């Protein structure tokens, strides 16, 4: 079952408990959640002549997802909570650029990107922003990032964030076009706007 790194935000649905110990487990919880249809996740990048955007087909994550986590005094740690993104579910707007995108990610050998939520901090950056620790696996290389994520809560939980990446960190080599005149910048972004519902 596909699980998502973004379920960290469930802790905001209830009161935050206090403890004199950072290592003491305050609570262990399980829940089942899913994304609303207007959620999105995309990878954005640029070349020396233009920009590109590859949108993930969110219907590939249509099933409800079970998660579990441990609540500590100043952070929350998740148990194997991950979002698996098949590379072929990204649409960059045309057959040729889709081919280039999959060539970049070495899809034939490594067909998916895995985003794994490790932990979140309960210390807020501001009124609606927290820091999350995410582990990302691309082309069988794993890197860990800390990123700010903004949260709003209306009828459901709305989570937004941007994860900047350098493709060189994953030993990826972008294809070049027109005798090497068109080159992809190594700096890309994973952008997400997810509306999370609890079943």
């Amino acid at each position: 079952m596909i699980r998502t790194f973004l379920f960290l935000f469930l802790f905001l649905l209830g009161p935050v408990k206090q403890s004199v110990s950072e290592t003491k487990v305050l609570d262990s919880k399980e829940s089942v959640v899913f994304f609303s249809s207007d959620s999105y996740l995309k990878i954005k990048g640029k070349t020396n002549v233009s920009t590109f955007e590859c949108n993930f087909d969110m219907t590939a994550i249509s099933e409800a997802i079970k998660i579990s986590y441990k609540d500590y005094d100043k952070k929350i740690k998740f148990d194997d909570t991950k979002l698996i993104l098949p590379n072929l579910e990204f649409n960059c707007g045309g057959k040729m650029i889709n081919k280039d995108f999959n060539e970049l990610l070495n899809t034939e050998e490594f067909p998916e990107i895995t985003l794994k939520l490790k932990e979140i901090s309960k210390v807020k950056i501001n009124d609606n922003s927290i820091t999350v620790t995410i582990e990302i696996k691309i082309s069988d290389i794993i890197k860990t990032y800390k990123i700010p994520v903004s949260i709003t809560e209306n009828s459901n939980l709305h989570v937004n964030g941007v994860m900047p990446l350098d493709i060189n960190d994953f030993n990826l080599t972008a294809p070049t076009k027109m005798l090497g005149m068109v080159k992809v910048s190594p700096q890309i972004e994973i952008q997400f706007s997810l509306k999370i519902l609890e079943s």
Side-chain angles (χ1 to χ4, degrees):
M1 177 181 291
I2 299 176
R3 299 179 187 137
T4 178
F5 69 97
L6 291 163
F7 300 135
L8 62 96
F9 307 104
L10 292 175
F11 88 93
L12 293 175
L13 300 177
V16 175
K17 302 173 183 177
Q18 299 297 323
S19 170
V20 295
S21 172
E22 288 189 15
T23 59
K24 180 180 178 182
V25 178
L26 302 179
D27 203 0
S28 295
K29 296 182 180 180
E30 292 186 353
S31 185
V32 176
V33 299
F34 59 94
F35 295 129
S36 69
S37 59
D38 52 348
S39 299
Y40 70 78
L41 186 149
K42 64 182 70 173
I43 294 178
K44 299 187 73 173
K46 61 183 179 180
T47 71
N48 56 325
V49 296
S50 64
T51 61
F52 63 90
E53 179 176 294
C54 301
N55 291 279
F56 184 75
D57 182 3
M58 295 300 293
T59 62
I61 319 173
S62 59
E63 296 182 0
I65 302 165
K66 184 178 179 180
I67 60 155
S68 62
Y69 57 91
K70 291 181 175 65
D71 187 355
Y72 293 83
D73 180 41
K74 294 185 178 181
K75 59 188 174 184
I76 293 177
K77 289 189 174 183
F78 286 76
D79 299 326
D80 196 31
T81 300
K82 58 188 175 184
L83 177 61
I84 297 175
L85 307 175
N87 297 345
L88 293 177
E89 299 295 343
F90 283 94
N91 184 355
C92 304
K95 289 183 178 180
M96 291 304 297
I97 190 170
N98 286 345
K99 181 180 178 182
D100 289 344
F101 178 76
N102 284 286
E103 182 180 340
L104 167 66
L105 295 180
N106 197 10
T107 295
E108 186 172 336
E109 186 174 359
F110 304 106
E112 59 195 27
I113 296 170
T114 301
L115 302 174
K116 186 174 184 179
L117 174 64
K118 302 297 290 183
E119 66 179 48
I120 63 170
S121 171
K122 289 183 180 179
V123 179
K124 294 186 177 181
I125 300 172
N126 52 47
D127 288 343
N128 69 339
S129 184
I130 58 174
T131 300
V132 304
T133 302
I134 296 173
E135 185 180 273
I136 181 167
K137 182 179 180 181
I138 302 176
S139 192
D140 215 33
I141 294 177
I142 299 173
K143 299 290 183 179
T144 302
Y145 299 87
K146 291 182 182 291
I147 62 169
V149 177
S150 63
I151 307 160
T152 55
E153 186 176 358
N154 297 309
S155 58
N156 53 28
L157 203 60
H158 191 185
V159 180
N160 295 278
V162 176
M163 186 189 308
L165 302 177
D166 187 327
I167 63 174
N168 293 327
D169 291 341
F170 299 91
N171 293 339
L172 300 178
T173 302
T176 58
K177 299 297 179 183
M178 297 178 63
L179 302 178
M181 296 176 62
V182 179
K183 298 181 180 180
V184 175
S185 168
Q187 308 300 322
I188 63 172
E189 292 181 344
I190 297 179
Q191 300 182 1
F192 53 87
S193 178
L194 303 176
K195 292 185 179 179
I196 301 173
L197 307 175
E198 189 170 9
S199 62

